Amino acid sequence: VLRQDMPAGDPGFLMFMPVFEPGDRGRRLKGFIYSPVNARQFIQAALSPDELGEYRVRLFDGSPGAPGTLLFDMLPAERAQDWPNASR
């Protein structure tokens, strides 16, 4: 859970990107920029409203099915059994 999403408790993740600057031998790492991402908002923004009902999207932090790795499931728990389990 991202700090800024407390106390709602929506899972999220941090996205990091390296920043380079010119150096003596090409480029050298200057640092990183990052962005906190709310998992639910990220998936909903990535899919059009028409696609939201057509696909089941689940986002995991690690191996699917391992305890505590599910960050986001676009279906409520009571509807999840209606969809077959998929490995991808």
Side-chain angles (χ1 to χ4, degrees):
V1 176
L2 298 171
R3 174 166 282 200
Q4 55 270 34
D5 286 334
M6 298 290 274
D10 284 342
F13 53 93
L14 296 175
M15 204 177 302
F16 288 86
M17 183 174 174
V19 176
F20 296 96
E21 65 184 1
D24 295 336
R25 291 181 256 162
R27 58 185 188 163
R28 72 184 172 126
L29 182 65
K30 183 175 183 177
F32 291 90
I33 56 173
Y34 79 96
S35 178
V37 179
N38 177 294
R40 177 174 302 283
Q41 292 171 355
F42 178 77
I43 297 298
Q44 289 175 339
L47 297 175
S48 72
D50 293 338
E51 293 172 321
L52 285 173
E54 188 174 336
Y55 300 104
R56 178 179 187 188
V57 177
R58 295 183 290 171
L59 184 61
F60 293 89
D61 180 15
S63 298
T69 62
L70 181 64
L71 291 178
F72 171 80
D73 189 343
M74 70 185 311
L75 288 181
E78 62 272 7
R79 287 199 47 221
Q81 72 274 3
D82 297 339
W83 286 73
N85 289 329
S87 60
R88 294 184 219 177

